[in-house]
Amino acid sequence: MAMMVSPTDFLDAYYYLYLFVLFTGASLLRGTLRNRHLSQFPHLNPKPVTELTKTRIRKEFFTTSYTIIRQWFHTNPDKAVRVTADVGDVIILPVRLANEIKNDPRLSFGEFIYNSFHASLPGFEGFREGARDSRIVQAVIVRDLTKHLNKVTEPLAEETRLALDELLPHTMASATWQPVEIRDTILRLIARISSRVFLGSELCRNEDWLKVTRDYTADAMRAAIELRFVPKPVRFLAHWFMPSCQKARVHVQEARRIIGPVLEKRRAQKMAGNGSFDDDAIEWFEREAQGKPYDPVIAQLVMSMAAIHTTTDLTVQVLADLVQHPDIIDPLHEEIESALREGGWTKNSLYNMKLLDSVIKESQRIKPIGLVSMRRVATAPVTLSDGTYIPKGATIAVSAERMWDPAVYPGADSWDGNRFLKMRSVPGSEHVAQLVSTSPEHMGFGHGQHACPGRFFAGNEVKIALVHLLLRYDWRLPEGAAAPKPRTLGFGLGVDPSLRLEYRPRTRNLGDLGGIEV
């Protein structure tokens, strides 16, 4: 029997077709308008008309970014520009606009993280928590981690000593120069001492957990980059079959396997009214949550993502700069020993290591972690004071060019470990010369509302690691080795991946530090 089709069926079909056409047309119109607004900005690496996609120029940007961005802002320091990067088209604003946009609620850091790191997909949960501008993570960092800096200083120092006993054995039998893959060694050190604070002594020496903290960030970042080159409409499916994304999911599963039982055990002991625990980040998150649901495993991954790799990069860069400027090492030894002798392992002692503070900040100035900072997505149209129009949905960043500006830093191309120590004596510069201070002239930790909230902990952690590394060992570049050069990866700047150093135990007796162990 023939199927009867009613007029209503035709009307429904036309209605859905109308909605489809309307939606598609609106999307195309929005894209056309956004592209028209973007065209106001000079485009440094446009797609040739002979190429159908931007894939080639987006991949090429990974290696050419440093040259094209530095050249542009060297000759056009006050003019915004557009680049096509792996994350899509990005408007790079001149640094003079940094203070204007730093706290603008229409420019969302969370939206940038969510869009660029596929935060809706499994395996990228760490980025998802960060994309929420997570209240609980922010609160724990500010109210607990930063507040308890003095309390965690001695445990950090103790764990650093124990870790280096294993990583770089301090025996006079090994008094000859020994080669070391320095980045891997420092990564293992920072992962362990960070975990001492985040997870306490129970888990900070658990090699399974340390492997997760070392590998998750790097593997998830690699997966995110690879997935950006997959067309957006099929990413939700493609990630299941990509080895890099599979690896990220395995890390998350492993983290749950390790931390889950520890958390359940603690909660059970609390319910029974017994058990004492380290005052670590597990406890801080539990207190902050106040019984409300949250994901404690992902919270720990966020802490590790924020702390370990960036701190490793900075610590290694400082060592790389010091071996090229060995004249400053003896003054560092004197300052460090004096501060420890007078105050022991306290936050105040670390504050008094002002030359060390200056050395770290100078290494961060010469090689920050990125060519740009303050990356955001516009959630609404924004018109800046100079008339610059940022359309809704546009991705922006701010150039870090002023960190290398000779008008701001005389001899800006040369490393000067005393630079910020001398700046402290200039009236009005006492505060901005400190490592943890941010400004448009030094955005090593970002700037504004979304400046790194953990920078106070990170600064102390780097100092503690360097105190041990400098007091316990001599360091040098291998004979004939070329000066290390930063690696450029898109907007990112990383320490030279081929860097190898040589070390030997120092022969000086450190027993005069008033009982302080190093």
Side-chain angles (χ1 to χ4, degrees), residues 60-81:
E60 193 176 73
F61 181 77
F62 275 101
T63 55
T64 62
S65 55
Y66 184 87
T67 301
I68 65 174
I69 293 173
R70 290 293 313 273
Q71 284 180 348
W72 172 264
F73 283 105
H74 179 72
T75 54
N76 304 274
D78 293 323
K79 191 172 182 180
V81 72

Side-chain angles (χ1 to χ4, degrees), residues 76 178 239 262 276 300 337 391 496 509:
N76 304 274
Q178 303 289 325
H239 78 96
V262 174
S276 61
Q300 290 293 337
E337 291 176 18
D496 189 334
N509 182 5

Side-chain angles (χ1 to χ4, degrees), residues 108 324 382:
S108 171
Q324 296 175 82
V382 177

Side-chain angles (χ1 to χ4, degrees), residues 64-133:
T64 62
S65 55
Y66 184 87
T67 301
I68 65 174
I69 293 173
R70 290 293 313 273
Q71 284 180 348
W72 172 264
F73 283 105
H74 179 72
T75 54
N76 304 274
D78 293 323
K79 191 172 182 180
V81 72
R82 176 167 51 125
V83 297
T84 297
D86 58 308
V87 295
D89 280 3
V90 179
I91 301 167
I92 307 178
L93 300 175
V95 71
R96 63 181 172 81
L97 296 171
N99 282 333
E100 181 173 349
I101 72 159
K102 67 180 183 180
N103 297 329
D104 193 319
R106 298 168 297 176
L107 300 172
S108 171
F109 176 66
E111 194 75 11
F112 169 76
I113 294 294
Y114 196 92
N115 292 348
S116 300
F117 293 93
H118 325 292
S120 63
L121 301 178
F124 299 98
E125 288 90 342
F127 298 107
R128 185 183 311 160
E129 191 66 34
R132 291 172 178 160
D133 293 330

Side-chain angles (χ1 to χ4, degrees), residues 221-252:
M221 286 283 288
R222 188 176 300 108
I225 291 171
E226 290 180 9
L227 197 54
R228 288 171 194 159
F229 292 96
V230 175
K232 283 185 180 180
V234 296
R235 288 177 189 171
F236 78 99
L237 184 62
H239 78 96
W240 292 110
F241 306 100
M242 295 173 62
S244 58
C245 296
Q246 293 168 356
K247 189 179 290 187
R249 291 194 294 273
V250 168
H251 289 317
V252 174

Side-chain angles (χ1 to χ4, degrees), residues 164-171 174-182 185 319 323 468-470 472-478 500-506:
L164 286 175
D165 285 343
E166 299 174 13
L167 293 168
L168 301 172
H170 191 277
T171 63
S174 60
T176 56
W177 290 100
Q178 303 289 325
V180 61
E181 297 284 352
I182 191 63
T185 299
L319 285 174
V323 296
H468 283 82
L469 290 164
L470 292 175
R472 294 178 63 163
Y473 310 98
D474 291 322
W475 296 92
R476 72 179 187 184
L477 280 170
R500 290 171 64 89
L501 295 181
E502 291 181 344
Y503 77 98
R504 68 181 179 188
R506 290 184 71 212

Side-chain angles (χ1 to χ4, degrees), residues 100-101 104-107 378-384 387-392:
E100 181 173 349
I101 72 159
D104 193 319
R106 298 168 297 176
L107 300 172
T379 58
V382 177
T383 301
L384 301 178
T388 298
Y389 180 80
I390 302 172
K392 180 180 179 180

Side-chain angles (χ1 to χ4, degrees), residues 396-461:
I396 68 163
V398 175
S399 165
E401 186 65 23
R402 200 170 286 177
M403 296 176 77
W404 310 296
D405 186 347
V408 178
Y409 301 107
D413 291 337
S414 300
W415 187 92
D416 179 1
N418 286 286
R419 186 186 301 277
F420 293 99
L421 180 63
K422 291 182 287 189
M423 190 182 292
R424 285 186 185 231
S425 64
V426 177
S429 298
E430 305 94 323
H431 178 69
V432 296
Q434 297 179 31
L435 172 62
V436 295
S437 296
T438 72
S439 69
E441 289 72 38
H442 197 300
M443 296 193 289
F445 286 116
H447 185 52
Q449 180 182 357
H450 296 289
C452 173
R455 64 189 183 276
F456 302 94
F457 171 74
N460 281 8
E461 187 176 36

